[in-house]
Amino acid sequence: MVTHTSPSILEATGLTVTRNEADIVHDISFRLPAGELVMLVGPNGAGKSTLLNLLAGLSRPDAGSLLVNGQPAADFSRTDWAQRVTLVPQLSSAGFPLSVQEVVELGGLAHSQSVVALRKEVQQALNDWDINWLAKRDIRLLSGGEQQRCQLARSWLQMQQAGSLLWLLDEPLSALDLRHQQQCMHKAKALTAQGKTVVMVVHDLNLARHFADRVLLLSCGRLMADG
């Protein structure tokens, strides 16, 4: 297990999730310092998405604890948590007839101080993620990669507006072409340069080798390696 001396944004101790008397996640412990790009790797069913959902606050462990900036996760209100942690889930179909611009705006509505400022930031996010030309399109009619870039732009805007410390991404690259995979990775690295921490589930070990500051290897719900 790798040890760190810098202050941690998040610290997990003994995280365990049990379903039907089997541990989906078993006794996982680690800490995430500021300014790291951390990749979760491992085979299908290893527990990567379950662990990411725990870190995102979408579910609670059956055992173990989670601290954010030294404070128990359970002590945060949903609003306070949303200001610290931003999640991009696995790609899913949109259920409402929203335009790309409206979806991206959702990332800033709760945090923006003015409509004018929000519109400016939304436009910047659309440009940054190469979806400005799709702004008026119904998100349900887009390709999987276009929808994914829309969700990335939404979460990116939320990171900027809320000042989040932790960006969690569950297989964000699966629907993207090579150019946009590279774009996503460079933006993730840019966030770490600002002192943010990024945790990303990936299957491409070459990307992990080139971009990750740290890799957590999961297998059968256990943390097998951290380095």
Side-chain angles (χ1 to χ4, degrees):
M1 183 71 68
V2 173
T3 58
H4 301 271
T5 58
S6 57
S8 60
I9 284 181
L10 183 144
E11 185 171 354
T13 304
L15 293 180
T16 299
V17 175
T18 304
R19 298 290 183 269
N20 298 322
E21 300 183 356
D23 287 348
I24 308 301
V25 167
H26 178 78
D27 193 26
I28 289 181
S29 300
F30 57 87
R31 54 188 297 266
L32 302 180
E36 281 194 346
L37 173 53
V38 181
M39 292 192 176
L40 297 180
V41 302
N44 292 334
K48 301 183 298 295
S49 293
T50 300
L51 177 59
L52 204 70
N53 285 338
L54 291 176
L55 303 185
L58 296 182
S59 59
R60 293 191 176 184
D62 295 302
S65 64
L66 193 64
L67 302 179
V68 176
N69 284 347
Q71 184 175 350
D75 290 353
F76 289 93
S77 68
R78 288 191 176 273
T79 299
D80 288 340
W81 189 264
Q83 291 176 338
R84 289 165 173 80
V85 180
T86 298
L87 171 69
V88 181
Q90 288 189 32
L91 185 64
S92 59
S93 299
F96 302 96
L98 296 175
S99 70
V100 167
Q101 181 170 326
E102 288 171 331
V103 171
V104 175
E105 284 177 352
L106 293 174
L109 285 177
H111 310 289
S112 180
Q113 299 299 312
S114 73
V115 173
V116 173
L118 176 60
R119 287 175 178 170
K120 182 178 179 180
E121 295 297 330
V122 168
Q123 186 60 54
Q124 186 64 53
L126 292 169
N127 292 336
D128 285 347
W129 289 94
D130 193 24
I131 53 174
N132 184 49
W133 63 286
L134 297 169
K136 302 303 181 183
R137 293 273 300 277
D138 187 330
I139 189 175
R140 299 172 301 173
L141 304 179
L142 304 183
S143 71
E146 290 167 341
Q147 289 189 36
Q148 186 72 336
R149 278 160 36 219
C150 180
Q151 295 297 342
L152 286 165
R154 174 196 57 75
S155 68
W156 180 260
L157 179 60
Q158 183 179 340
M159 287 287 296
Q160 306 302 319
Q161 292 286 323
S164 300
L165 303 173
L166 188 61
W167 198 26
L168 307 175
L169 306 102
D170 195 353
E171 297 190 39
L173 310 177
S174 58
L176 301 183
D177 60 31
L178 181 59
R179 179 167 72 91
H180 290 108
Q181 286 183 5
Q182 296 286 322
Q183 178 191 52
C184 182
M185 296 311 306
H186 286 297
K187 287 189 174 297
K189 292 296 285 186
L191 279 181
T192 63
Q194 299 172 18
K196 315 285 188 180
T197 297
V198 180
V199 181
M200 182 182 298
V201 175
V202 299
H203 287 286
D204 189 334
L205 297 183
N206 283 324
L207 281 173
R209 181 168 64 91
H210 283 292
F211 288 101
D213 298 307
R214 183 171 163 205
V215 174
L216 304 182
L217 171 62
L218 272 64
S219 182
C220 299
R222 298 172 183 267
L223 181 60
M224 307 302 293
D226 174 358

